[in-house]
Amino acid sequence: MADLQAELQTTTEVGALDSLPDPFAAEEPYTPVSDPDTEPLERAHAILAAHPVADGYSGLPWALRHLPWFDLELGESSVDTDVPRLREGHVGALFWSLHLPESIGGDRAVGATLEQLDLVKTVVGAHPEGLRLAHTAGETADVRHCGRVAVLLGPAGAAALGDSLGILRSLHALGLRALTLSGASWASEAGLTRFGEEVLREMNRLGVLADLSGASADTVHRAIAVSKAPVLCTRSAARALRPHPANLPDDLLAELGAAKGLCMVPLTAEQTGPNVRDVADHLDHVRAVAGPECVGLSGTYDAGTAHPQELADASCYPHLVAELLRRDWTEADIALLTWGNVQRVLRSADFTARAARERREPSTAKISDLDG
């Protein structure tokens, strides 16, 4: 069992990886792309054209299951997201959620998640002029440069694993790139169990990002301590401004920022407030507490939630960026918010996975072995 506790360290074993881009290397100095003398909305469009939105959460897959027919490239009024609105909102990439209703659990969750994966691949394949699957930072950038929107698979719920690391590897092979660490016996209010920690290590080895939105404080603390790759909160705002259970208190925001993680603020009335200024308040707060490299955006469209005024669908991101410009956000910080921070996290996860695979074989641990 000693190999189960192996930690990723820099050794000569990973020397072959020295040619990989260092995800923690200093960025080039930022070059402005907009005219500061123009109106904020016009500047917002110019900035987003160069640094599009990487959206942390879309509930579109489950919403599409209930439509008898749809065409996302032509436009689909039955949902909040389609290709024309993604382009109008300058969305370059988005994570498509594989979350399931709470009523679906146990063995059904595994099969339902596979069906969700199959649906996403079918939908993307049917809309080749607008959408394309991506798995890494490089592929995401390539898709954007081809004029398509990159679709990243995840997050999925922890129940999708069925307490099996083999199923985790199978889901990763099918494209899964993020997993929510809550709602399982090994990731509870008491934190991560020994098996939960092993799940996280295997996720690091594969390059699957850990989503901590909705997880308990103890789970967040332990996941940040165990994970060698940055962690995400795909739908979390500031609890100091709005006491929603999925929002993060300042101590966790500061810890997430220190660990180079990413808090993706949702554009929902329930978590952030009823108008665009409320959302900007949360972005201001997260940036102040955790730092500009720790804040991102999560539209949370088509997830069954109400959205703030001026942010009704995926086309509305320029209105939010214009509000940030009025608050004297720099172009450089906006570029991190919309695109740069997600790219960094994806690069870091890939870098960590390549190094980890040099040290760890696929884990064969079972929950009964570690948790009894």
Side-chain angles (χ1 to χ4, degrees), residues 264-279:
M264 310 189 82
V265 174
L267 312 188
T268 67
E270 182 181 8
Q271 283 185 253
T272 52
N275 60 62
V276 67
R277 293 183 299 279
D278 294 318
V279 178

Side-chain angles (χ1 to χ4, degrees), residues 172-193:
H172 171 263
L174 292 172
L176 180 69
R177 287 302 175 267
L179 182 76
T180 301
L181 300 189
S182 63
S185 62
W186 44 265
S188 64
E189 289 296 318
L192 292 177
T193 66

Side-chain angles (χ1 to χ4, degrees), residues 136-148:
T136 64
E139 289 180 9
T140 302
D142 288 344
V143 171
R144 169 199 163 195
H145 292 146
C146 290
R148 273 70 169 178

Side-chain angles (χ1 to χ4, degrees), residues 50-330:
H51 307 284
V53 172
D55 187 328
Y57 193 96
S58 170
L60 192 59
W62 191 259
L64 292 178
R65 288 174 67 111
H66 301 91
L67 298 182
W69 183 89
F70 53 86
D71 188 330
L72 298 180
E73 285 181 359
L74 181 64
E76 184 54 63
S77 61
S78 301
V79 292
D80 299 328
T81 309
D82 55 30
V83 173
R85 281 179 283 184
L86 289 171
R87 287 180 171 152
E88 186 179 348
H90 301 282
V91 177
L94 72 167
F95 286 84
W96 280 23
S97 165
L98 303 175
H99 282 161
L100 305 169
E102 293 183 2
S103 59
I104 300 178
D107 293 338
R108 291 180 60 207
V110 179
T113 301
L114 291 173
E115 290 176 355
Q116 288 279 84
L117 276 164
D118 179 67
L119 172 66
V120 171
K121 292 189 174 187
T122 300
V123 170
V124 172
H127 300 83
E129 296 303 313
L131 305 173
R132 190 169 296 176
L133 285 173
H135 306 94
T136 64
E139 289 180 9
T140 302
D142 288 344
V143 171
R144 169 199 163 195
H145 292 146
C146 290
R148 273 70 169 178
V149 178
V151 173
L152 295 129
L153 295 174
L161 301 192
D163 298 335
S164 167
L165 294 176
I167 292 177
L168 172 62
R169 287 188 287 273
S170 297
L171 291 173
H172 171 263
L174 292 172
L176 180 69
R177 287 302 175 267
L179 182 76
T180 301
L181 300 189
S182 63
S185 62
W186 44 265
S188 64
E189 289 296 318
L192 292 177
T193 66
R194 291 180 65 206
F195 181 75
E197 292 180 6
E198 188 64 7
V199 170
L200 188 50
R201 293 189 187 98
E202 190 67 8
M203 289 169 64
N204 283 174
R205 196 189 71 83
L206 295 169
V208 177
L209 292 165
D211 170 27
L212 302 177
S213 284
S216 69
D218 286 341
T219 295
V220 174
H221 287 306
R222 191 59 188 152
I224 289 175
V226 171
S227 181
K228 300 300 180 181
V231 298
L232 299 173
C233 290
T234 60
R235 295 174 294 163
S236 293
R239 193 175 295 179
L241 302 184
R242 203 167 186 89
H244 188 281
N247 291 347
L248 296 178
D250 284 358
D251 63 325
L252 289 185
L253 282 175
E255 187 175 352
L256 188 66
K260 301 296 184 183
L262 184 55
C263 178
M264 310 189 82
V265 174
L267 312 188
T268 67
E270 182 181 8
Q271 283 185 253
T272 52
N275 60 62
V276 67
R277 293 183 299 279
D278 294 318
V279 178
D281 287 344
H282 282 268
L283 294 171
D284 282 341
H285 189 89
V286 174
R287 183 179 66 153
V289 174
E293 294 186 346
C294 184
V295 59
L297 296 173
S298 181
T300 324
Y301 293 114
D302 297 301
T305 60
H307 298 281
Q309 295 175 10
E310 297 187 72
L311 299 174
D313 59 46
S315 70
C316 298
Y317 283 106
H319 295 287
L320 177 57
V321 172
E323 176 64 24
L324 298 178
L325 289 169
R326 295 186 191 101
R327 297 175 179 224
D328 296 323
W329 277 54
T330 66

